[in-house]
Structure formats: C-alpha cells, structure tokens
Amino acid sequence: MTQDAHIPAPREEPVAKPKVPRQHHANGLLIGGGLTALLFLLFIITGAVAVGGTLSPLWIGFIIGVLVALLGVFRILRGPTAFGFGDTEHKHPAA
C-alpha cells in the first residue's frame, strides 16, 4: 500500500529507559529505616540474653524501621510522585 504525500510515515514508539537518579530524596528513608531496624534488632538480640526468652516490645521498633526502609525502596523505584506525593494534576481548582 502506498503512503499519501501529506500523511507522514508511521514512526516507532520510543522506549523509555528506566534509571535511578544519583541523588534521590528517598535515600534518607532507606538509610534511616535500615539503621533503625538494625539498632532495634541489636537491642533485641543483646537484651534477649539478659531477659530470657520473653517477647520484647522492641520488635515494634524493628518492624517500623523495616517498613520505613521498604517505603524508601518503593519511592526510589516508583519515583517521587508515588502515593500522590508531589502530584499537581489532581488538585481541586480554587473556587
């Protein structure tokens, strides 16, 4: 089939290459959550020797640290607009 002169030829769709920027704002979440989880785990391990086999409430701090670190990983992979943070498209117009 021949192409009309006034209709441009179809082009290939560009393929976006995923990349992680050098400095990302979620690095603080990742590093801070990881350090918090590590410190609480260290307190749990060293305190378990002194207390015995009882369940310590320090596990809550460890779990929160892991969740914060996972949020940092998610924000690095999905970008700063993940969960609608920084989203300017869906704001309500001023009345």
Side-chain angles (χ1 to χ4, degrees):
M1 180 156 84
T2 60
Q3 188 75 19
D4 289 338
H6 65 282
I7 299 175
R11 299 182 191 169
E12 292 183 21
E13 290 291 323
V15 178
K17 297 177 184 175
K19 67 174 189 170
V20 177
R22 287 184 178 210
Q23 182 181 9
H24 203 280
H25 299 293
N27 286 344
L29 290 172
L30 180 62
I31 294 169
L35 285 176
T36 303
L38 182 69
L39 287 175
F40 272 100
L41 186 63
L42 200 82
F43 289 146
I44 291 168
I45 291 172
T46 58
V49 174
V51 176
T54 60
L55 187 62
S56 173
L58 292 174
W59 282 107
I60 296 171
F62 173 74
I63 292 169
I64 289 173
V66 168
L67 289 176
V68 169
L70 288 176
L71 177 64
V73 169
F74 180 77
R75 292 285 306 271
I76 286 174
L77 295 177
R78 295 288 296 174
T81 58
F83 293 124
F85 298 143
D87 187 15
T88 58
E89 268 186 290
H90 297 90
K91 291 190 176 181
H92 297 286

